[in-house]
Amino acid sequence: MVVIVLENAPPRLRGRLAIWLLEVRAGVYVGDYNRKVREYLWQQVVEGIEQGNAVLMWRDLGQEAGFQFETIGENRRIPSEMDGVRLVDFLPEQAAPAGP
C-alpha cells in the first residue's frame, strides 16, 4: 500500500497523482503499487511540490513499525531515528517577531 499526503501543493501535481491514486480526502492519496511505481510517483512529487510539503508512506514488513516513510518540504514534523526506529520529532513553533 502507498499513501501520499500533500499540503499546499499545486493543482497540477494533485491532478497528476489523481491519475494513479485514489484521493480519499483533500490531499490524501492511496493506492497499491510496487516499488518501481512508488518511486516514480514520489519523483513526480519531488519535482512538482514547489512551496508545499508532502509525506510518502508505504508498507515495509522488514521495519519494526511495518511501514516506511519519506518527507519533502518544510513542516514542523521531521523524521528522526532512535535505536534504528524511525520516529517523528516536532520542531518548536516559530516565535512571532517582536513589534516596535
Side-chain angles (χ1 to χ4, degrees):
M1 175 169 278
V2 174
V3 178
I4 298 176
V5 180
L6 304 178
E7 290 181 331
N8 195 27
R12 74 175 169 275
L13 175 58
R14 294 180 60 160
R16 181 166 293 185
L17 290 180
I19 292 170
W20 291 84
L21 303 166
L22 178 63
E23 188 174 13
V24 295
R25 290 276 192 264
V28 180
Y29 298 86
V30 179
D32 192 13
Y33 290 103
N34 62 31
R35 181 187 57 83
K36 187 173 182 176
V37 174
R38 180 185 76 231
E39 290 173 354
Y40 169 79
L41 292 171
W42 187 241
Q43 187 60 38
Q44 299 300 306
V45 172
V46 169
E47 292 172 3
I49 195 64
E50 295 179 5
Q51 300 301 314
N53 65 73
V55 61
L56 163 70
M57 295 153 287
W58 68 94
R59 182 182 357 207
D60 185 349
L61 299 179
Q63 297 295 317
E64 185 74 25
F67 65 92
Q68 191 64 270
F69 66 96
E70 285 191 47
T71 64
I72 188 168
E74 289 189 31
N75 193 297
R76 283 191 57 218
R77 294 172 179 88
I78 59 168
S80 65
E81 191 168 313
M82 181 180 287
D83 295 329
V85 176
R86 292 202 61 199
L87 303 170
V88 176
D89 283 335
F90 286 85
L91 294 174
E93 288 189 47
Q94 296 290 335

Short mmCIF file of all heavy atoms in Angstrom, two decimals, residues 1-4 20 33-45 56-60 68 70:
data_model
loop_
_atom_site.label_atom_id
_atom_site.label_comp_id
_atom_site.label_asym_id
_atom_site.label_seq_id
_atom_site.Cartn_x
_atom_site.Cartn_y
_atom_site.Cartn_z
N MET A 1 0.84 -1.18 0.00
CA MET A 1 0.00 0.00 0.00
C MET A 1 0.88 1.24 0.00
O MET A 1 1.93 1.27 0.64
CB MET A 1 -0.91 0.01 1.22
CG MET A 1 -1.71 1.29 1.31
SD MET A 1 -3.01 1.26 2.52
CE MET A 1 -4.25 0.44 1.54
N VAL A 2 0.43 2.27 -0.69
CA VAL A 2 1.13 3.55 -0.80
C VAL A 2 0.16 4.64 -0.37
O VAL A 2 -0.99 4.66 -0.81
CB VAL A 2 1.60 3.80 -2.25
CG1 VAL A 2 2.19 5.19 -2.39
CG2 VAL A 2 2.59 2.75 -2.69
N VAL A 3 0.63 5.55 0.48
CA VAL A 3 -0.15 6.71 0.89
C VAL A 3 0.72 7.95 0.70
O VAL A 3 1.86 7.97 1.15
CB VAL A 3 -0.61 6.62 2.36
CG1 VAL A 3 -1.38 7.86 2.77
CG2 VAL A 3 -1.42 5.37 2.60
N ILE A 4 0.18 8.97 0.02
CA ILE A 4 0.87 10.25 -0.13
C ILE A 4 -0.06 11.33 0.39
O ILE A 4 -1.24 11.38 0.02
CB ILE A 4 1.22 10.52 -1.61
CG1 ILE A 4 2.18 9.46 -2.14
CG2 ILE A 4 1.84 11.92 -1.75
CD1 ILE A 4 2.52 9.59 -3.61
N TRP A 20 -3.14 8.21 -10.84
CA TRP A 20 -2.63 6.92 -10.35
C TRP A 20 -3.26 6.45 -9.05
O TRP A 20 -3.34 5.25 -8.78
CB TRP A 20 -1.13 7.04 -10.12
CG TRP A 20 -0.32 7.17 -11.35
CD1 TRP A 20 -0.06 8.32 -12.04
CD2 TRP A 20 0.35 6.13 -12.04
NE1 TRP A 20 0.73 8.05 -13.12
CE2 TRP A 20 1.01 6.71 -13.14
CE3 TRP A 20 0.48 4.76 -11.83
CZ2 TRP A 20 1.77 5.97 -14.03
CZ3 TRP A 20 1.24 4.03 -12.72
CH2 TRP A 20 1.87 4.64 -13.81
N TYR A 33 0.75 -0.15 -5.17
CA TYR A 33 1.68 -0.31 -6.28
C TYR A 33 3.01 -0.88 -5.80
O TYR A 33 3.33 -0.83 -4.61
CB TYR A 33 1.95 1.04 -6.96
CG TYR A 33 0.76 1.56 -7.72
CD1 TYR A 33 -0.04 2.57 -7.21
CD2 TYR A 33 0.43 1.02 -8.95
CE1 TYR A 33 -1.13 3.04 -7.91
CE2 TYR A 33 -0.67 1.49 -9.67
CZ TYR A 33 -1.44 2.49 -9.14
OH TYR A 33 -2.52 2.95 -9.84
N ASN A 34 3.79 -1.37 -6.75
CA ASN A 34 5.11 -1.92 -6.43
C ASN A 34 6.12 -0.79 -6.21
O ASN A 34 5.82 0.38 -6.38
CB ASN A 34 5.57 -2.89 -7.52
CG ASN A 34 5.72 -2.22 -8.87
OD1 ASN A 34 6.04 -1.04 -8.98
ND2 ASN A 34 5.49 -2.99 -9.93
N ARG A 35 7.34 -1.17 -5.84
CA ARG A 35 8.40 -0.21 -5.54
C ARG A 35 8.69 0.72 -6.71
O ARG A 35 8.86 1.92 -6.53
CB ARG A 35 9.68 -0.95 -5.13
CG ARG A 35 10.84 -0.02 -4.78
CD ARG A 35 12.13 -0.77 -4.56
NE ARG A 35 12.51 -1.59 -5.71
CZ ARG A 35 13.15 -1.13 -6.79
NH1 ARG A 35 13.48 0.13 -6.88
NH2 ARG A 35 13.47 -1.95 -7.78
N LYS A 36 8.75 0.17 -7.91
CA LYS A 36 9.09 0.99 -9.08
C LYS A 36 8.08 2.10 -9.31
O LYS A 36 8.44 3.25 -9.55
CB LYS A 36 9.21 0.09 -10.32
CG LYS A 36 9.72 0.81 -11.53
CD LYS A 36 9.97 -0.15 -12.67
CE LYS A 36 10.55 0.59 -13.86
NZ LYS A 36 10.88 -0.31 -14.95
N VAL A 37 6.80 1.78 -9.23
CA VAL A 37 5.75 2.79 -9.43
C VAL A 37 5.77 3.78 -8.26
O VAL A 37 5.62 4.99 -8.46
CB VAL A 37 4.36 2.13 -9.59
CG1 VAL A 37 3.27 3.18 -9.65
CG2 VAL A 37 4.34 1.24 -10.83
N ARG A 38 5.95 3.28 -7.04
CA ARG A 38 6.03 4.17 -5.87
C ARG A 38 7.15 5.19 -6.04
O ARG A 38 6.97 6.38 -5.81
CB ARG A 38 6.25 3.34 -4.60
CG ARG A 38 6.35 4.20 -3.35
CD ARG A 38 6.70 3.39 -2.12
NE ARG A 38 8.11 3.06 -2.15
CZ ARG A 38 8.60 1.83 -1.99
NH1 ARG A 38 7.80 0.80 -1.84
NH2 ARG A 38 9.90 1.63 -2.02
N GLU A 39 8.31 4.74 -6.48
CA GLU A 39 9.44 5.65 -6.69
C GLU A 39 9.14 6.65 -7.80
O GLU A 39 9.52 7.82 -7.70
CB GLU A 39 10.71 4.86 -6.97
CG GLU A 39 11.22 4.12 -5.76
CD GLU A 39 12.39 3.19 -6.05
OE1 GLU A 39 12.76 3.02 -7.24
OE2 GLU A 39 12.94 2.63 -5.09
N TYR A 40 8.47 6.21 -8.85
CA TYR A 40 8.08 7.11 -9.93
C TYR A 40 7.13 8.20 -9.40
O TYR A 40 7.30 9.40 -9.68
CB TYR A 40 7.41 6.34 -11.07
CG TYR A 40 6.75 7.24 -12.08
CD1 TYR A 40 7.51 7.89 -13.05
CD2 TYR A 40 5.38 7.45 -12.06
CE1 TYR A 40 6.90 8.74 -13.98
CE2 TYR A 40 4.77 8.29 -12.97
CZ TYR A 40 5.54 8.93 -13.92
OH TYR A 40 4.94 9.77 -14.83
N LEU A 41 6.12 7.79 -8.63
CA LEU A 41 5.17 8.75 -8.08
C LEU A 41 5.86 9.75 -7.15
O LEU A 41 5.58 10.95 -7.19
CB LEU A 41 4.04 8.02 -7.35
CG LEU A 41 3.11 7.19 -8.23
CD1 LEU A 41 2.18 6.36 -7.38
CD2 LEU A 41 2.34 8.09 -9.17
N TRP A 42 6.77 9.27 -6.31
CA TRP A 42 7.47 10.15 -5.40
C TRP A 42 8.34 11.15 -6.17
O TRP A 42 8.43 12.31 -5.80
CB TRP A 42 8.30 9.37 -4.40
CG TRP A 42 8.91 10.25 -3.34
CD1 TRP A 42 10.23 10.42 -3.09
CD2 TRP A 42 8.22 11.05 -2.39
NE1 TRP A 42 10.41 11.30 -2.05
CE2 TRP A 42 9.18 11.70 -1.60
CE3 TRP A 42 6.87 11.30 -2.12
CZ2 TRP A 42 8.85 12.58 -0.57
CZ3 TRP A 42 6.54 12.16 -1.09
CH2 TRP A 42 7.52 12.79 -0.33
N GLN A 43 8.95 10.72 -7.26
CA GLN A 43 9.73 11.62 -8.08
C GLN A 43 8.85 12.73 -8.65
O GLN A 43 9.27 13.89 -8.73
CB GLN A 43 10.44 10.87 -9.21
CG GLN A 43 11.39 11.71 -10.00
CD GLN A 43 12.51 12.30 -9.16
OE1 GLN A 43 13.02 11.64 -8.25
NE2 GLN A 43 12.88 13.53 -9.43
N GLN A 44 7.61 12.39 -9.03
CA GLN A 44 6.66 13.39 -9.51
C GLN A 44 6.37 14.42 -8.41
O GLN A 44 6.28 15.62 -8.67
CB GLN A 44 5.36 12.73 -9.96
CG GLN A 44 5.52 11.77 -11.11
CD GLN A 44 6.08 12.43 -12.34
OE1 GLN A 44 5.54 13.41 -12.82
NE2 GLN A 44 7.18 11.90 -12.84
N VAL A 45 6.25 13.94 -7.17
CA VAL A 45 6.01 14.84 -6.04
C VAL A 45 7.22 15.74 -5.82
O VAL A 45 7.09 16.95 -5.68
CB VAL A 45 5.68 14.03 -4.75
CG1 VAL A 45 5.62 14.96 -3.54
CG2 VAL A 45 4.37 13.27 -4.91
N LEU A 56 5.31 10.53 2.06
CA LEU A 56 5.02 9.27 1.37
C LEU A 56 5.18 8.15 2.38
O LEU A 56 6.20 8.09 3.08
CB LEU A 56 6.01 9.07 0.22
CG LEU A 56 6.13 7.65 -0.35
CD1 LEU A 56 4.87 7.26 -1.11
CD2 LEU A 56 7.35 7.55 -1.25
N MET A 57 4.20 7.26 2.49
CA MET A 57 4.27 6.12 3.39
C MET A 57 3.98 4.85 2.60
O MET A 57 3.15 4.87 1.69
CB MET A 57 3.25 6.25 4.52
CG MET A 57 3.51 7.42 5.43
SD MET A 57 2.03 8.04 6.22
CE MET A 57 1.23 8.86 4.85
N TRP A 58 4.69 3.78 2.94
CA TRP A 58 4.44 2.50 2.29
C TRP A 58 4.72 1.37 3.26
O TRP A 58 5.45 1.51 4.22
CB TRP A 58 5.26 2.36 1.01
CG TRP A 58 6.75 2.24 1.22
CD1 TRP A 58 7.47 1.08 1.31
CD2 TRP A 58 7.69 3.30 1.36
NE1 TRP A 58 8.80 1.36 1.50
CE2 TRP A 58 8.96 2.73 1.52
CE3 TRP A 58 7.60 4.69 1.36
CZ2 TRP A 58 10.10 3.48 1.70
CZ3 TRP A 58 8.74 5.43 1.54
CH2 TRP A 58 9.97 4.82 1.70
N ARG A 59 4.09 0.24 2.97
CA ARG A 59 4.24 -0.96 3.79
C ARG A 59 5.66 -1.49 3.64
O ARG A 59 6.18 -1.60 2.54
CB ARG A 59 3.23 -2.01 3.35
CG ARG A 59 3.26 -3.28 4.15
CD ARG A 59 2.28 -4.30 3.65
NE ARG A 59 1.50 -3.73 2.53
CZ ARG A 59 0.29 -4.11 2.21
NH1 ARG A 59 -0.30 -5.04 2.86
NH2 ARG A 59 -0.34 -3.56 1.20
N ASP A 60 6.29 -1.82 4.77
CA ASP A 60 7.62 -2.41 4.78
C ASP A 60 7.68 -3.33 6.00
O ASP A 60 7.97 -2.88 7.11
CB ASP A 60 8.69 -1.33 4.85
CG ASP A 60 10.09 -1.92 4.75
OD1 ASP A 60 10.26 -3.15 4.85
OD2 ASP A 60 11.04 -1.12 4.57
N GLN A 68 7.34 2.35 6.18
CA GLN A 68 8.46 3.27 6.00
C GLN A 68 7.89 4.58 5.47
O GLN A 68 6.78 4.60 4.93
CB GLN A 68 9.44 2.65 5.00
CG GLN A 68 10.76 3.34 4.87
CD GLN A 68 11.58 3.28 6.14
OE1 GLN A 68 11.46 4.18 6.96
NE2 GLN A 68 12.38 2.26 6.30
N GLU A 70 8.92 8.82 3.78
CA GLU A 70 9.82 9.88 3.35
C GLU A 70 9.04 11.18 3.38
O GLU A 70 7.82 11.17 3.24
CB GLU A 70 10.31 9.66 1.92
CG GLU A 70 11.35 8.60 1.78
CD GLU A 70 11.98 8.61 0.40
OE1 GLU A 70 12.34 9.70 -0.09
OE2 GLU A 70 12.08 7.52 -0.17
#
